Amino acid sequence: MLPDDQTLTEAGLAPHGQGRILLIACGALAHEVMALIRLNRWQHLDVQCLPAKLHLYPDKITQAVADCVADHRADYDAIHVLYADCGTGGLLQAKCQELGVDMIAGPHCYAFFEGNDRFATLAEDEFTAFYLTDFLVRQFDAFVWRPMGLDKHPQLRDMYFGHYTKLVYQAQTNDPQLDEKARQSAARLGLAYERRFTGYGELADFMQKAAN
């Protein structure tokens, strides 16, 4: 059973030490990663989720991943990293190559959920779109509203989002409650709303390769 989103944000998820292959993932991907493991019955995969709040401090992601690889390398046959670049400016990719561990491709999770090639094509016309995933819809206040100070200074909304035109909810699951919450988030930001079902996208493909 997964911990709640607050725990995944602050502390992450420790591996059970039962599998032969370790996946190091962002806490924001925990639900999707575990769902794919259950769906495919990949009992040989183990998961270490780093705190999702690292996305608020992307300069810390590379070292956190490197430390995790160092801590667990001796315990597993292989390690794979379920982080995209995530604002590290290529540093995470360089570190993974140095450490000899495989890393999922893409600039961020929005791209690999959509499909990197498709996202790159859409981005040419969607540069004024603001994206949310299932996790970010659930944690909208913790990752968007409060960090931007909008809870105390709502007048800043137009300064932050004045050049955006729509909020795109990339849905990994079909959940009417999340759909409504995402719609409300768009309204709070003063943006048009679009829901786009992506499922697990290239995360599923990467995990399939890791499992094999």
Side-chain angles (χ1 to χ4, degrees), residues 82-103:
L82 300 184
Y83 270 91
D85 182 74
C86 298
T88 68
L91 293 177
L92 181 58
Q93 178 68 59
K95 178 58 71 173
C96 286
Q97 289 176 345
E98 176 189 327
L99 296 172
V101 296
D102 198 15
M103 169 183 156

Side-chain angles (χ1 to χ4, degrees), residues 18 29 57 70 86 100 108 113 116 131 145 157 164 175 177 179 195:
Q18 297 174 345
L29 298 177
Y57 315 99
C86 298
H108 37 62
F113 276 138
N116 280 297
Y131 298 92
W145 201 254
R157 183 192 70 175
Y164 288 92
D175 186 328
Q177 291 184 331
D179 185 19
R195 181 186 184 275

